[in-house]
Amino acid sequence: MHSIYFEYMKQRYIRLVFGLILFVASITASAQLSGIVRDSLTNEPLPYASVSYEGKGVGSISDVNGAYRITTRKGWNQVTFTAVGYTKKTVNFLPGITQKLNVRLQPSDVRLQEIIVRPKKEKYSRKNNPAVELMRKVIAHKSNQRLEDNDFYQYDKYQKMTTSLNDVKPEDFGKGIYKKMPFLVNQVEPCVETNKLIIPISVQEIASQKVFRKNPKDEKTLIKGMNSSGIDQLFSTGDIMGTVLNDVFADINIYDNDIRLLQSRFMSPISNSAISFYKYYIMDTVYVNKDRCIHLTFVPNNSQDFGFTGHLYILNDSSYTVKKCTMNLPKKTGVNFVQNLDIIQSYEKLPDGEWVLKDDDMIVELYLMKQLQGIQVRRTTKYSNYSFKEVSPQLFRLKGSTVKDVDAMMKGNDFWNQVRPVPLTDKENGMDSFLTQLEQMPGFKYTIIVLKALIENFVETGSKEHPSKFDFGPMNTVIGSNFIDGLRLRLSGQTTAKFNPNLFLSGYYAYGFKDNRSKYKATVEYTFDKKEYLPREFPKNSISASYLYDVMSPMDKFLKTDKDNVFVGLKATTVDQMSYIRDVSLKYERETNSGFSIEMDVKNRNDQPAGNLFYIKNDDAKTMIHDITTTETSLLLRFAPGETYINTKQRRLPINFDAPIFTLSHTMGIKDVIGGDYTFNMTEIGLYKRFWLSSWGRLDAFVKAGKQWDKVPFPLLIMPAANLSYITQRETFSLINNMEFLNDQYASLDLTYDMNGKILNRVPLIKGLKWREIFKFKALYGSLSDKNNPDKSGDLFLFPTRNGQTTSFAMGKRPYMEFSVGVYNIFKIINIEYVRRLNYLDHPGINKDGIRMAMLLNF
């Protein structure tokens, strides 16, 4: 979305566009504003509503069908709507252009301001409170609304996600960005819900069908059509923007205990625990679409907790069904970057008496900094054609939980006109024309190149007419350093699916100016199904071969990023024990839609110690070993049900960490095959699970264990995953040194408790800063059998030393432990943690404590 901010434009083009603007202004008197005025609750037209330019003496009224028409005047950009029994509404619009403006007026007894639902001074009691008693009954009856209790169900779903520049000011036209890109003025339209002017810049639509079967349980989402237009088309790594938006602004089910939104969990107003989290107030009884409802408002006890303020309209009968729900974030919410968030849900009764969700709409106003242009994301979701008849068994034989029609992205206007319950606005419909104008701007091409390098970490070599077949990058690995290389320069790149949709080439060349050696890697990967851009697009089914020669630390394999990333190159401890590694490998990867994956690898590795690392046999002669060679095969089984990703050009990233992950791996070394020096077997198992604790945050837990079954020298023993940099890394120990502990069996525990500001949001002097607290505890228990201990068994290597002191040790009977206390969301981006080591403090060269940092953007 930043791609519209570029800097150059020819003066002649400016004069031409301003001439067009003056021409439009000259015919302003003939431009008209028209639309329909409706009741916001019942959606019924409002006859005889007043439409006027307040204070100007000019106006009109709506007819019996709620329709109105009023002539626009130059310089008048606000129109006011009033009706008896309704709250007055003033809406901004762009004068001089004939346009449609439909308006919804709220009944005067239904207001969303937080001050209404939360009295400033009150003595609130849950005892003998009729609002609380009503909510207890609503919660007790919510299981009756579960669609999953039916043997079958299916429905159609239409969803539109529109991203827009928000709160555009007419007085800014002709200045700043609008002076450089005057065609933006033609893209302006009013947002009726917020009374602000917006500029739509991206639209995504999905038309789908959901089918469900209770026994055996199965459900499928059948995507019938997908349509995307706008600035996300400028980036060629798949539907990143749409995928992220759909995750961040996910569908909402108020009958769930926790509502997943903005990649966090919010307490539902009808959660099983909601009574202790929210305060409830009965306001009145009202009619909503001819159904008599009890109007009830709610607000969290602490406005900075992750909850909502809002309104529930509950049927005034024994079913205690929610007819309509509106929710907002409190004004003092602890959520970042969100200026305003409105959710409106409405339910309808089917002929068989079942109540189902009909509308689920959301508007979010975002800003990175108040000085910068804000963004509006509007999600419109409509449900229709519910059926509880038996679903064809054929549909459940389709592979995967989400099945996309072959022609889903090629559906024409006839299809979309049929499935859209609400039409696109004129500006949404003209997105392609807007993008064309954008691309024709002078300097646009070079601006996009720079933006892509910053956002995607790669530089493309193609254009829109000739898509890139080869990308240079990642760019954050160009300059680096380490103990062996000294200054290190690296050039990397990869081909794309535009070169070949099945065959992908990648690699790098690097040079160290201290050891004066070249390093390099080359990979050839063949995917058995065609890819849109990258070989790692889900689901993977590929075979690859690679050749590598580079200098590495034993801990590099534990990094979640590239080892040459300039930021992780800054080390918190001495890393001078490294190796020159020469790898030849052949790998097969296969993923399934169920979340199960398999990875098989055959590798031949030559390991030559470098720096202050030496391989010395524990014989009388202390024989120096120049290098070792292993030939190994490995099998990795992984199961992560429900895991979803986005594909960047550098790596695949999980959208969230909610999915549990189970891993099982076994590596077998084969002696005397392609020079292999050792026979060995190593097995590892791992489990990850995230536990959401409602308003108390979340707990991430990693449990791992492993065993080296055979007698091997220390380079083949199990080393703990140590993070040697100042940057925080998941699943690593922060204060263990390089190869500090050498085990042939281990078990580890890694706990991260993110309280999401539960404590700090209650501290009077700092709660306005929105800081959030995080606690971590990590433990490692390991042991070394006598057969792999060089002090007790021969034909092994002596453990590494530095300046005559041993730097690697077999663990004692105590587990290694460390904990950290951190504060994140400092200036909304900085994460700082204090880490403390609890034991093994007598080891040489260790840090007892330290500071670790990260740059993280969180909502």
Side-chain angles (χ1 to χ4, degrees):
M1 59 189 68
H2 303 287
S3 59
I4 65 173
Y5 292 92
F6 50 83
E7 303 181 0
Y8 303 105
M9 182 179 292
K10 292 182 180 177
Q11 197 64 29
R12 182 167 56 182
Y13 188 77
I14 296 178
R15 289 196 295 269
L16 172 63
V17 175
F18 270 101
L20 291 174
I21 294 174
L22 290 174
F23 173 74
V24 172
S26 69
I27 61 171
T28 296
S30 64
Q32 291 193 331
L33 199 65
S34 62
I36 298 176
V37 184
R38 296 180 182 273
D39 184 300
S40 67
L41 289 180
T42 66
N43 206 35
E44 295 292 330
L46 289 180
Y48 314 120
S50 173
V51 185
S52 65
Y53 297 106
E54 202 164 22
K56 307 291 186 183
V58 177
S60 177
I61 62 172
S62 63
D63 62 19
V64 293
N65 297 315
Y68 75 93
R69 186 180 302 273
I70 188 170
T71 301
T72 69
R73 304 295 178 91
K74 182 178 180 180
W76 298 3
N77 60 3
Q78 287 187 332
V79 64
T80 299
F81 297 82
T82 58
V84 176
Y86 291 84
T87 303
K88 181 174 72 173
K89 187 170 191 175
T90 300
V91 181
N92 293 320
F93 69 97
L94 186 63
I97 300 175
T98 297
Q99 55 195 291
K100 289 283 187 181
L101 181 59
N102 296 324
V103 174
R104 295 173 184 269
L105 296 184
Q106 286 185 351
S108 55
D109 63 340
V110 180
R111 296 197 289 169
L112 295 179
Q113 285 82 356
E114 185 180 351
I115 190 171
I116 294 299
V117 301
R118 185 176 184 177
K120 290 184 177 179
K121 293 183 179 180
E122 61 170 343
K123 185 177 180 181
Y124 183 85
S125 174
R126 294 180 174 85
K127 187 176 181 181
N128 298 323
N129 185 329
V132 172
E133 294 306 315
L134 173 63
M135 284 308 303
R136 292 189 194 278
K137 293 176 181 177
V138 173
I139 294 170
H141 285 76
K142 71 177 186 177
S143 61
N144 298 337
Q145 310 304 323
R146 285 174 47 86
L147 289 177
E148 291 77 9
D149 288 341
N150 294 281
D151 292 332
F152 298 91
Y153 71 76
Q154 60 181 304
Y155 58 76
D156 293 335
K157 175 183 172 184
Y158 168 83
Q159 186 169 87
K160 179 180 70 173
M161 195 86 70
T162 303
T163 304
S164 308
L165 299 182
N166 192 37
D167 200 12
V168 177
K169 304 294 185 183
E171 56 266 29
D172 292 335
F173 297 162
K175 298 187 295 186
I177 184 177
Y178 304 102
K179 184 176 181 180
K180 295 175 180 179
M181 291 180 286
F183 62 84
L184 287 178
V185 175
N186 297 327
Q187 190 67 9
V188 174
E189 68 179 16
C191 176
V192 176
E193 289 78 8
T194 63
N195 300 336
K196 296 176 182 178
L197 296 178
I198 60 174
I199 299 179
I201 58 176
S202 173
V203 179
Q204 287 103 24
E205 294 179 285
I206 298 178
S208 62
Q209 181 186 28
K210 178 73 172 286
V211 296
F212 171 85
R213 179 180 63 193
K214 186 175 181 179
N215 189 23
K217 186 176 181 180
D218 198 359
E219 56 186 313
K220 305 282 184 183
T221 299
L222 311 175
I223 297 179
K224 305 297 184 180
M226 297 180 69
N227 189 27
S228 178
S229 60
I231 64 166
D232 51 313
Q233 293 179 312
L234 301 175
F235 299 92
S236 33
T237 50
D239 187 25
I240 288 182
M241 186 171 181
T243 303
V244 172
L245 287 176
N246 282 315
D247 182 77
V248 174
F249 307 107
D251 295 337
I252 288 173
N253 183 357
I254 61 170
Y255 288 101
D256 289 337
N257 289 327
D258 293 320
I259 293 174
R260 189 172 169 276
L261 180 66
L262 304 174
Q263 296 188 315
S264 295
R265 295 292 179 102
F266 293 75
M267 177 80 75
S268 169
I270 54 176
S271 164
N272 292 340
S273 306
I275 298 297
S276 60
F277 184 87
Y278 287 103
K279 297 179 180 180
Y280 298 94
Y281 306 88
I282 291 178
M283 305 298 289
D284 202 352
T285 55
V286 296
Y287 281 92
V288 180
N289 290 345
K290 302 179 181 179
D291 289 310
R292 186 173 178 83
C293 298
I294 300 173
H295 175 199
L296 181 143
T297 63
F298 56 90
V299 62
N301 293 318
N302 186 317
S303 63
Q304 287 189 292
D305 282 345
F306 278 51
F308 301 99
T309 63
H311 305 256
L312 291 172
Y313 299 89
I314 302 164
L315 290 179
N316 193 13
D317 59 24
S318 59
S319 70
Y320 301 101
T321 299
V322 174
K323 169 71 175 180
K324 185 171 183 176
C325 173
T326 65
M327 297 189 293
N328 331 88
L329 287 184
K331 298 298 182 184
K332 296 182 180 180
T333 179
V335 179
N336 289 328
F337 312 120
V338 178
Q339 186 177 29
N340 189 51
L341 182 147
D342 293 311
I343 299 167
I344 302 175
Q345 289 193 331
S346 60
Y347 296 77
E348 67 175 349
K349 188 177 184 179
L350 299 179
D352 64 356
E354 186 115 21
W355 282 91
V356 294
L357 181 62
K358 178 185 177 185
D359 303 311
D360 178 14
D361 299 335
M362 181 190 305
I363 295 181
V364 186
E365 296 180 275
L366 305 168
Y367 66 94
L368 187 63
M369 297 174 59
K370 292 187 177 179
Q371 296 80 5
L372 299 179
Q373 179 71 57
I375 296 296
Q376 182 198 90
V377 178
R378 177 173 180 168
R379 193 206 69 203
T380 302
T381 308
K382 306 297 181 184
Y383 299 86
S384 61
N385 298 328
Y386 282 89
S387 173
F388 300 94
K389 297 179 180 178
E390 183 175 352
V391 179
S392 170
Q394 265 189 318
L395 294 178
F396 297 104
R397 297 191 189 107
L398 298 172
K399 294 182 178 179
S401 58
T402 301
V403 182
K404 187 191 301 183
D405 281 4
V406 176
D407 62 344
M409 302 185 72
M410 298 181 289
K411 294 293 175 68
N413 289 333
D414 290 343
F415 170 83
W416 288 109
N417 290 336
Q418 183 179 355
V419 301
R420 285 185 187 124
V422 288
L424 298 181
T425 67
D426 291 341
K427 309 308 178 184
E428 291 172 343
N429 215 20
M431 195 65 64
D432 291 338
S433 174
F434 164 68
L435 193 61
T436 299
Q437 289 179 295
L438 200 61
E439 292 175 321
Q440 290 173 349
M441 294 295 298
F444 175 82
K445 176 180 178 182
Y446 303 104
T447 303
I448 288 297
I449 289 175
V450 173
L451 284 173
K452 285 187 175 183
L454 292 174
I455 297 172
E456 298 178 341
N457 207 17
F458 278 76
V459 175
E460 296 181 359
T461 59
S463 62
K464 183 177 181 180
E465 295 74 21
H466 305 284
S468 179
K469 296 181 179 181
F470 184 86
D471 296 339
F472 286 102
M475 304 308 295
N476 62 4
T477 63
V478 171
I479 300 177
S481 66
N482 59 60
F483 182 80
I484 303 299
D485 281 313
L487 174 65
R488 174 186 172 104
L489 299 180
R490 171 175 148 175
L491 182 65
S492 314
Q494 62 186 17
T495 64
T496 74
K498 305 304 178 182
F499 172 77
N500 189 295
N502 296 96
L503 184 66
F504 295 86
L505 311 176
S506 63
Y508 64 78
Y509 173 82
Y511 188 81
F513 287 85
K514 182 178 177 180
D515 65 349
N516 295 315
R517 290 197 191 185
S518 296
K519 291 87 180 176
Y520 39 84
K521 181 180 181 181
T523 301
V524 179
E525 183 169 2
Y526 181 83
T527 65
F528 294 97
D529 48 354
K530 292 183 178 181
K531 300 299 183 181
E532 294 181 16
Y533 202 90
L534 301 164
R536 52 187 164 272
E537 292 166 7
F538 184 86
K540 290 192 70 173
N541 183 17
S542 69
I543 187 169
S544 62
S546 65
Y547 185 91
L548 172 144
Y549 176 71
D550 206 342
V551 61
M552 301 177 69
S553 158
M555 299 298 106
D556 286 344
K557 64 183 178 181
F558 299 116
L559 292 175
K560 301 299 181 183
T561 185
D562 195 298
K563 73 178 184 65
D564 291 330
N565 184 316
V566 64
F567 298 107
V568 300
L570 302 173
K571 302 300 183 183
T573 187
T574 301
V575 184
D576 57 1
Q577 297 168 326
M578 306 179 75
S579 295
Y580 288 107
I581 300 295
R582 190 180 301 274
D583 274 351
V584 181
S585 67
L586 182 66
K587 180 189 295 184
Y588 173 72
E589 295 177 83
R590 180 76 169 96
E591 295 175 327
T592 67
N593 290 300
S594 65
F596 177 77
S597 64
I598 182 171
E599 182 179 310
M600 294 182 288
D601 196 359
V602 178
K603 179 189 299 181
N604 180 263
R605 165 170 288 193
N606 179 263
D607 179 342
Q608 179 186 344
N612 288 324
L613 179 62
F614 304 96
Y615 295 164
I616 304 172
K617 296 195 71 170
N618 63 341
D619 55 14
D620 293 338
K622 300 295 187 288
T623 305
M624 188 77 69
I625 304 299
H626 179 267
D627 62 87
I628 63 173
T629 300
T630 58
T631 299
E632 57 191 62
T633 63
S634 62
L635 174 66
L636 170 64
L637 304 178
R638 188 176 186 272
F639 183 53
E643 188 174 42
T644 54
Y645 307 94
I646 56 172
N647 291 304
T648 70
K649 291 187 177 181
Q650 189 170 359
R651 66 180 57 83
R652 173 194 285 177
L653 299 174
I655 295 177
N656 57 67
F657 294 95
D658 288 348
I661 302 174
F662 308 88
T663 58
L664 175 64
S665 67
H666 185 80
T667 302
M668 179 175 64
I670 307 172
K671 188 176 181 180
D672 298 328
V673 174
I674 321 178
D677 296 327
Y678 301 97
T679 295
F680 61 88
N681 289 272
M682 185 173 70
T683 305
E684 288 187 287
I685 188 171
L687 170 63
Y688 162 78
K689 183 73 174 74
R690 168 167 287 181
F691 300 91
W692 285 95
L693 307 176
S694 197
S695 67
W696 288 91
R698 63 176 183 257
L699 176 69
D700 290 351
F702 295 89
V703 179
K704 297 180 181 179
K707 183 176 179 64
Q708 171 61 264
W709 302 90
D710 296 284
K711 180 177 181 179
V712 291
F714 79 80
L716 301 179
L717 292 175
I718 301 173
M719 304 174 189
N723 174 23
L724 308 177
S725 74
Y726 288 99
I727 307 300
T728 60
Q729 294 274 333
R730 286 168 59 90
E731 303 178 62
T732 59
F733 293 90
S734 297
L735 294 176
I736 290 182
N737 280 349
N738 184 26
M739 298 189 295
E740 181 179 351
F741 295 106
L742 299 173
N743 304 307
D744 55 16
Q745 57 184 0
Y746 82 98
S748 67
L749 175 67
D750 183 335
L751 300 176
T752 298
Y753 181 30
D754 182 350
M755 294 190 71
N756 214 10
K758 190 71 172 181
I759 297 175
L760 296 180
N761 283 344
R762 285 164 168 75
V763 179
L765 296 180
I766 65 172
K767 65 180 182 180
L769 299 174
K770 298 183 180 181
W771 289 357
R772 302 171 189 173
E773 58 286 293
I774 190 168
F775 305 92
K776 297 180 180 179
F777 174 78
K778 302 177 183 182
L780 170 70
Y781 178 79
S783 64
L784 186 68
S785 60
D786 290 348
K787 67 182 177 185
N788 283 317
N789 190 332
D791 294 333
K792 299 180 180 181
S793 181
D795 199 26
L796 295 172
F797 296 170
L798 296 174
F799 282 179
T801 61
R802 182 184 295 113
N803 300 324
Q805 286 187 311
T806 300
T807 56
S808 298
F809 305 89
M811 293 194 72
K813 295 183 179 180
R814 298 169 299 158
Y816 167 86
M817 294 179 291
E818 68 181 37
F819 79 91
S820 66
V821 178
V823 176
Y824 71 100
N825 205 42
I826 302 173
F827 304 118
K828 301 181 181 178
I829 192 172
I830 299 174
N831 175 19
I832 298 179
E833 297 178 13
Y834 170 76
V835 191
R836 177 71 183 182
R837 180 169 170 149
L838 298 179
N839 53 4
Y840 292 97
L841 303 179
D842 55 343
H843 284 189
I846 60 99
N847 293 316
K848 296 181 181 179
D849 55 12
I851 300 294
R852 298 295 180 266
M853 299 181 64
M855 307 291 278
L856 299 171
L857 280 173
N858 295 280
F859 279 105

